[in-house]
Amino acid sequence: MRFGLFGKGGADKAEAAQIAARIKADVRDCLGLPEAAAIAVNEILCADPACPGTETVILVMNPGEKTRAYKAQMPMAELTRDALFAILRREGSGA
């Protein structure tokens, strides 16, 4: 398993940081999270044929709660607000 942001050059890394910031803001908005909640967004590349390839992993760490993990089976740049909200609602419902 490899993390997608490692080894990227300056421009690519800056663009990835902007995309991650957008996703974090959308997660905070959708879940109604307080500023004290930490959100981590990472793109992971999986070489296993059973994996979808590149996926986006989102961790939500809200004080006093268990860490929640969400996965989008697409790169960060392809993750739209609508797709993100659908994932957060689906996985947040215990489905």
Side-chain angles (χ1 to χ4, degrees):
M1 186 180 320
R2 249 182 26 198
F3 291 94
L5 296 179
F6 293 148
K8 288 193 173 189
D12 287 341
K13 198 169 186 176
E15 181 180 358
Q18 284 182 325
I19 293 168
R22 173 190 53 85
I23 292 170
K24 289 176 184 182
D26 287 345
V27 168
R28 190 172 305 281
D29 181 45
C30 181
L31 298 179
L33 296 170
E35 287 299 315
I39 303 166
V41 178
N42 293 288
E43 192 173 84
I44 297 174
L45 303 172
C46 183
D48 184 336
C51 290
T54 301
E55 62 183 7
T56 301
V57 177
I58 302 161
L59 298 177
V60 175
M61 297 156 279
N62 199 15
E65 296 179 7
K66 286 179 64 173
T67 298
R68 293 178 279 171
Y70 302 91
K71 290 184 181 180
Q73 302 205 346
M74 63 189 74
M76 290 189 316
E78 294 177 14
L79 185 56
T80 65
R81 183 177 170 95
D82 289 340
L84 174 63
F85 278 32
I87 290 164
L88 295 173
R89 285 189 197 109
R90 180 182 65 237
E91 293 187 22
S93 68

